[in-house]
Amino acid sequence: MNTSLTASIEPQFRAVDGLRMRYADSGGSQAPVILLTSPWPESLYAFGPMWATLAEHARLFAVDLPGFGGSERRDDLLSPRAMGGFLARLVAEADLGRPHIVAPDVGTSAALFAAAAHPERFASVIVGTGGAAIPLELGEPLASWVLDPDLDKYRRMDPRVIVDTAADTIAGGIPDEIRDDYRASYAGDRFVESMRYVRRYPEELPELAQLLPQIPTAVTIINGRHDPVVPVGNAEFLDERLPNSRVRIIDAGHFVWEEAPAEYASIVLDSVTGSHS
């Protein structure tokens, strides 16, 4: 894999909390540090379009969350609250100091749980396009993935078709090499098992909603204006309850980090450099 979008991302593996985790580190001692968590059903290569831009201003540490992308799965981590605990441990084990965390999509709820439990560990939080609102405000296919009582029918589906269907909605498309990585990331039972994470939303998002007013960390919420999967109402729900937040809406669909990478990176850097405090 050596396209212009991926050449600067060099995945490595390391043990974190006893798991084999795939990550990419732009290296150096440059401050600040930005921790990026991969969206679903994608991988850390989702950040390829903005990697070089962000790396000019910060050290980047991107990771595939446990059970997502190229990282090993552990079933007890497949919930937003548990994943939030993992993120706090990752910061310590990887010696990331006090990073800014960019956690779109499924990372949204995990990062907010982490910030609620360990606000001292994160300089700021950048989230969005992840389920947050109560009652649930989700479009298809995510709503069915969360609520469908029959998980077995998803086991019978070809995960490549599921990944391709999601990737085909990305305006402008993605390189074949990146699509291949997304397919490989969710081959076999990896996609259907990763569904267990979002299927905890009905139980855990109400718990998160109660914690939001207690999070002192500066939070930036980025959402696509035309996101049919996670509507803007989720961003507004967070903004109404977080004490130190702002919403930035981009004229894009769900995969906003790939559809509008320049604008997304600009908002991230604005947040990281302290314009939002």
Side-chain angles (χ1 to χ4, degrees), residues 2-86:
N2 192 32
T3 71
S4 60
L5 295 183
T6 62
S8 58
I9 297 180
E10 300 179 359
Q12 306 173 63
F13 290 88
R14 66 177 292 162
V16 179
D17 197 25
L19 294 172
R20 187 172 186 263
M21 301 295 299
R22 187 170 74 163
Y23 74 101
D25 190 342
S26 66
S29 57
Q30 183 177 1
V33 175
I34 300 178
L35 168 62
L36 304 105
T37 69
S38 61
W40 181 59
E42 299 183 298
S43 74
L44 52 79
Y45 280 110
F47 301 113
M50 70 180 77
W51 187 266
T53 299
L54 294 179
E56 291 179 2
H57 304 275
R59 174 191 169 196
L60 309 182
F61 190 99
V63 64
D64 287 334
L65 294 171
F68 296 89
S71 290
E72 185 179 4
R73 179 178 75 239
R74 198 171 76 212
D75 289 349
D76 66 292
L77 293 178
L78 291 179
S79 82
R81 182 186 287 275
M83 196 70 79
F86 172 83

Side-chain angles (χ1 to χ4, degrees), residues 121-160:
R121 298 219 176 156
F122 302 96
S124 73
V125 174
I126 299 104
V127 292
T129 73
I134 298 298
L136 294 177
E137 188 175 343
L138 305 172
E140 295 295 347
L142 182 56
S144 292
W145 293 351
V146 171
L147 298 171
D148 196 325
D150 181 14
L151 198 61
D152 286 339
K153 73 179 182 183
Y154 296 100
R155 296 187 185 279
R156 297 189 291 269
M157 294 181 180
D158 185 342
R160 293 172 300 179

Side-chain angles (χ1 to χ4, degrees), residues 161-231:
V161 173
I162 296 173
V163 171
D164 282 345
T165 299
D168 287 344
T169 68
I170 299 174
I174 57 174
D176 290 341
E177 293 88 346
I178 293 180
R179 184 186 291 264
D180 287 344
D181 185 76
Y182 294 170
R183 289 169 171 170
S185 293
Y186 299 95
D189 70 347
R190 283 185 60 84
F191 179 80
V192 70
E193 291 301 325
S194 69
M195 289 175 64
R196 296 184 183 279
Y197 179 93
V198 298
R199 291 170 73 83
R200 296 294 295 274
Y201 281 1
E203 173 188 346
E204 294 200 353
L205 291 186
E207 298 173 0
L208 178 60
Q210 296 300 312
L211 295 173
L212 294 176
Q214 305 168 31
I215 297 175
T217 314
V219 179
T220 298
I221 309 149
I222 306 173
N223 222 92
R225 187 182 310 280
H226 311 294
D227 188 341
V229 179
V230 182

